[in-house]
Amino acid sequence: MTKEARRLLTMLGQPETWAIIDPTDPASVLVHRRRSGVSVGAGRFASAVADALVRQDLGRWEQSASGRKTLRLTKVGEACLRRASAPEADMAFFHQHRETDVAIVESETGVARVRVDSDESPLDWLRRRKGRDGEPMIDEASYQAGERLRTDIMLAGLLPGVTARWDGMPRSGGPGSPSESTDRMVAARQRLRNAFDAIGGDFSDLLLDFCGFLKGLEQIERERQWPARSAKIVVRLALSRLAEHYGIEASARGPAASRGIRTWQAVVIEGGKD
């Protein structure tokens, strides 16, 4: 791959970016990027560079709604970019075939930046998929609520450890053992009890499986003997109820709207309190 072809491939890998044939010069293609709802120019390349990507199945021409042909990455092109951008050379093959993201996680030792496998989480999968209307299957408020629940489940010690030991959630609110439990764990368990009481038992069990134990929608349907594609609907309802409990809204209302707040982008847990 030439240097120019690699540059074009990298640019097309950016969010909401595409290329079109220059209407004034068919020998060139123009890269456009959408910013704040407005399409802006981002670069110019020779048409031969775009054709090289198409020949290698890294890009393809698509017909847009306006009838104009646009160049976008193929799945092969996206995988090629992931392989090239792998932070560790020996993990290049893994990054090529899996989608990864950098996440901020809270642990017993503090806050840390980690690279996570996006395909691991059914919540991430649900947010990446779009419905027939072109919108994500869950909104940002529901996603943030699920992530917050997932964080508390981890802090509460409800997930299996390296020794395959499972910790139950005590009803009394006290630590199971002074040598093993911390104030942060107790606080996380209290937040979980409050959330589960607010959304109800059926939704609680469902979200514990979905957000905590990372059970996919099909697995949930099999285990609960639900009709096909019904889990998606129930999960969306459960996450919406959870977002209401947390007070997370997709768009701010009232005085918050004037301050420019639109979504909760992070959950900060300090000293075991939210």
Side-chain angles (χ1 to χ4, degrees):
M1 187 185 304
T2 65
K3 183 178 179 179
E4 284 295 283
R6 188 172 298 279
R7 283 187 57 235
L8 178 56
L9 180 70
T10 302
M11 295 186 72
L12 292 177
Q14 300 299 314
E16 296 192 85
T17 303
W18 64 93
I20 62 172
I21 298 175
D22 186 348
T24 63
D25 181 12
S28 301
V29 295
L30 302 176
V31 178
H32 281 253
R33 183 173 300 152
R34 190 178 303 280
R35 291 182 178 175
S36 302
V38 179
S39 175
V40 297
R44 176 189 294 271
F45 293 83
S47 296
V49 177
D51 293 339
L53 295 185
V54 174
R55 285 197 303 271
Q56 297 179 57
D57 196 27
L58 301 175
R60 68 171 179 271
W61 290 103
E62 300 178 350
Q63 201 79 14
S64 66
S66 62
R68 174 178 290 179
K69 292 175 59 178
T70 61
L71 179 66
R72 299 181 185 272
L73 288 189
T74 62
K75 294 295 183 181
V76 176
E78 293 172 356
C80 181
L81 271 182
R82 289 197 296 269
R83 183 181 182 91
S85 60
E88 308 92 5
D90 58 343
M91 293 291 289
F93 182 82
F94 172 83
H95 288 282
Q96 175 181 349
H97 295 280
R98 306 287 285 188
E99 294 188 29
T100 62
D101 293 308
V102 175
I104 306 297
V105 299
E106 181 97 4
S107 67
E108 293 298 328
T109 58
V111 178
R113 289 172 59 87
V114 298
R115 184 167 291 274
V116 298
D117 181 1
S118 301
D119 290 339
E120 177 194 36
S121 170
L123 187 64
D124 287 329
W125 181 91
L126 198 59
R127 183 177 68 159
R128 293 199 307 269
R129 295 304 185 274
K130 296 183 178 181
R132 295 180 179 178
D133 58 357
E135 296 295 323
M137 290 186 176
I138 58 173
D139 59 22
E140 187 66 18
S142 295
Y143 176 77
Q144 295 296 334
E147 283 292 284
R148 180 170 181 173
L149 185 73
R150 166 73 173 168
T151 299
D152 275 341
I153 291 173
M154 293 175 62
L155 292 178
L158 300 185
L159 299 181
V162 294
T163 58
R165 180 177 59 82
W166 296 72
D167 293 317
M169 185 166 64
R171 301 300 301 176
S172 64
S177 169
S179 63
E180 295 182 0
S181 298
T182 64
D183 290 342
R184 182 173 295 172
M185 178 182 291
V186 174
R189 293 182 178 187
Q190 182 62 53
R191 289 192 296 271
L192 283 178
R193 279 194 296 274
N194 292 340
F196 289 163
D197 288 344
I199 66 177
D202 291 339
F203 280 169
S204 299
D205 292 342
L206 175 63
L207 292 186
L208 184 61
D209 282 345
F210 187 75
C211 300
F213 299 118
L214 304 179
K215 293 184 179 181
L217 298 178
E218 292 184 358
Q219 181 179 356
I220 289 174
E221 290 169 352
R222 288 196 305 269
E223 292 180 353
R224 298 168 185 254
Q225 298 182 349
W226 287 356
R229 293 180 292 279
S230 62
K232 177 179 64 177
I233 299 174
V234 183
V235 165
R236 292 174 64 179
L237 292 173
L239 289 173
S240 179
R241 182 80 60 83
L242 183 65
E244 290 179 4
H245 165 69
Y246 285 144
I248 304 175
E249 297 181 351
S251 60
R253 298 173 183 172
S258 64
R259 296 196 294 270
I261 299 175
R262 288 296 178 268
T263 60
W264 288 83
Q265 297 298 334
V267 175
V268 179
I269 301 174
E270 184 66 29
K273 298 180 180 180
D274 56 352

